[in-house]
């Protein structure tokens, strides 16, 4: 059974390294800039903390949930170019896994009102054969990270 997002956020606050929360105005500005709205999980996370270092502090953190100001299209994060040849415009990097790879959110479709998250392997992006879905929602992803407390959880290592 899934842990409620509110409990996961309390755990982030207690055991990890959250950044100060964002404001509704900052969320609205972000949504205007990117042209899409945060789903309920992401909105709750960013109102609670505008990003976080999970497990350890940077530079050793295996997961840095990016602040809203640092969220860009996956192709810009991975290849430094916001060009269609580097992948779809609807996929954004929301978590830096510190090795040139990212966890990505695809805002082109929703599952149960939530955006799915994908592996953003910089050597394989945007090949769907290698960049698989890692969670059906942000809360599912966050729970996996907090439970495994290690990198590359989606590879089953």
């Amino acid at each position: 059974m899934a842990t409620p997002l509110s409990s996961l956020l309390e755990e982030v606050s207690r055991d990890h390294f959250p950044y100060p929360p964002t404001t509704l105005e900052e969320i609205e500005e972000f949504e205007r800039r990117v042209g899409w709205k945060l789903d309920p999980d992401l909105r709750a996370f960013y109102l609670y903390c505008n990003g976080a270092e999970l497990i350890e502090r940077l530079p050793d953190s295996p997961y840095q949930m990016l602040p809203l100001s640092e969220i860009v299209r996956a192709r810009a994060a991975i290849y430094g170019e916001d060009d269609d040849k580097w992948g779809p415009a609807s996929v954004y990097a929301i978590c830096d896994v510190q090795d040139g790879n990212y966890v990505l959110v695809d805002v082109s479709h929703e599952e149960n009102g939530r955006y799915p998250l994908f592996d953003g392997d910089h050597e394989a992006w945007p090949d769907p054969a290698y960049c698989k879905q890692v969670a059906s929602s942000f809360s599912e992803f966050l729970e996996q990270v907090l439970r495994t407390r290690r990198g590359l959880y989606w590879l089953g290592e």
Side-chain angles (χ1 to χ4, degrees):
M1 187 164 143
T3 304
L5 182 57
S6 59
S7 296
L8 297 172
L9 294 175
E10 289 171 13
E11 186 176 338
V12 167
S13 190
R14 183 180 62 247
D15 299 334
H16 302 271
F17 309 96
Y19 303 153
T22 190
T23 65
L24 281 174
E25 294 78 21
E26 289 168 320
I27 287 176
E28 290 167 2
E29 189 281 321
F30 167 79
E31 291 174 339
R32 276 192 299 278
R33 175 175 65 87
V34 296
W36 52 275
K37 296 211 174 288
L38 295 173
D39 70 21
D41 286 359
L42 289 168
R43 179 176 290 268
F45 176 80
Y46 282 102
L47 285 171
Y48 194 85
C49 58
N50 189 10
E53 295 161 24
L54 302 176
I55 317 301
E56 298 182 52
R57 286 209 171 273
L58 287 174
D60 299 318
S61 174
Y63 303 99
Q64 181 198 17
M65 294 305 309
L66 297 173
L68 288 176
S69 64
E70 295 180 26
I71 294 175
V72 296
R73 286 191 174 109
R75 60 199 192 186
I78 294 169
Y79 293 111
E81 282 185 59
D82 194 0
D83 188 293
D84 287 343
K85 71 180 178 182
W86 299 117
S90 63
V91 181
Y92 286 76
I94 63 165
C95 179
D96 186 343
V97 295
Q98 311 308 319
D99 58 2
N101 299 330
Y102 292 86
V103 175
L104 311 173
V105 62
D106 183 354
V107 301
S108 68
H109 68 280
E110 296 178 10
E111 297 175 10
N112 299 314
R114 306 297 192 266
Y115 300 126
L117 279 69
F118 292 83
D119 176 7
D121 182 325
H122 72 281
E123 294 176 358
W125 177 254
D127 187 339
Y130 297 100
C131 297
K132 304 241 185 246
Q133 183 171 320
V134 298
S136 61
S137 67
F138 176 74
S139 57
E140 179 185 314
F141 165 75
L142 185 59
E143 183 168 24
Q144 289 175 342
V145 168
L146 299 181
R147 295 303 155 256
T148 61
R149 297 184 67 86
R150 61 185 177 163
L152 303 178
Y153 62 91
W154 59 86
L155 297 178
E157 295 180 353

